[in-house]
């Protein structure tokens, strides 16, 4: 079962995830069942486990229209793999094995268009929309704290330094006249 939270802003997205979890717990309780948020609740079985993929965007990703910009944002995640994994949920090494549409926790960071086995997936809809859209970090697990996941993603995306745009008249848009 998958759930989606559509929110503007990291805090609201985190709030919506916690409310959704609460509602699912109460609904399950009503029917005499329990929800296990652990990333591999069935143990070492032949399946990918339970994830909490984080779809994210900002005005840059929604408006840039540039494959190079998307690649720069994705590449910013590579040097901070351990910092991300540290907040992406306990025992994620059991889920991120390189099998079943996951990138191995022990391998280098990867990203790719419509690549469900990558660390970061660039949705085909983003490409079809002329490189305007969002990214999906596929590494967080189902028990991760959504506030910590969002904070780490934001921290990484903010490190991206893009070159000043150069307009057809040769200016950078800061000077008029």
């Amino acid at each position: 079962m998958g759930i989606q939270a559509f929110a503007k802003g990291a805090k609201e997205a985190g709030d919506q995830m916690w409310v959704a979890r609460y509602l699912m717990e109460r609904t399950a309780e009503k029917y005499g069942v329990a929800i296990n948020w652990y990333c591999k609740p069935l143990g070492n079985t032949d399946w990918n486990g339970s994830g909490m993929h984080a779809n994210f965007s900002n005005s840059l990703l929604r408006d840039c229209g540039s494959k190079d910009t998307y690649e720069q944002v994705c590449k910013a995640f590579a040097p901070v793999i351990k910092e991300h994994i540290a907040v992406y949920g306990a025992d994620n090494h059991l889920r991120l094995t390189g099998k079943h549409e996951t990138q191995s926790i022990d391998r280098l960071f990867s990203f790719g268009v419509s690549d469900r086995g990558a660390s970061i997936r660039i949705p085909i809809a983003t490409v079809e929309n002329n490189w305007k859209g969002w990214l999906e970090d596929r590494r967080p697990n189902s028990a991760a704290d959504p506030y910590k996941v969002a904070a780490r993603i934001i921290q990484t995306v903010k490190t991206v330094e893009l070159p000043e745009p150069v307009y057809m008249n040769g200016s950078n848009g800061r000077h008029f006249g």
Side-chain angles (χ1 to χ4, degrees), residues 144-164:
D145 180 333
Y147 301 112
K148 290 179 180 179
V149 170
R152 186 61 244 187
I153 290 171
I154 291 167
Q155 186 177 354
T156 299
V157 171
K158 283 186 172 185
T159 66
V160 177
E161 294 183 24
L162 297 171
E164 290 277 338

Side-chain angles (χ1 to χ4, degrees), residues 82-108:
K82 290 181 181 177
E83 291 84 347
H84 281 265
I85 295 300
V87 299
Y88 281 6
D91 295 328
N92 223 2
H93 65 284
L94 300 173
R95 190 177 78 82
L96 300 178
T97 62
K99 300 176 184 175
H100 312 294
E101 299 183 336
T102 66
Q103 174 60 278
S104 173
I105 200 169
D106 298 323
R107 289 199 182 164
L108 296 176

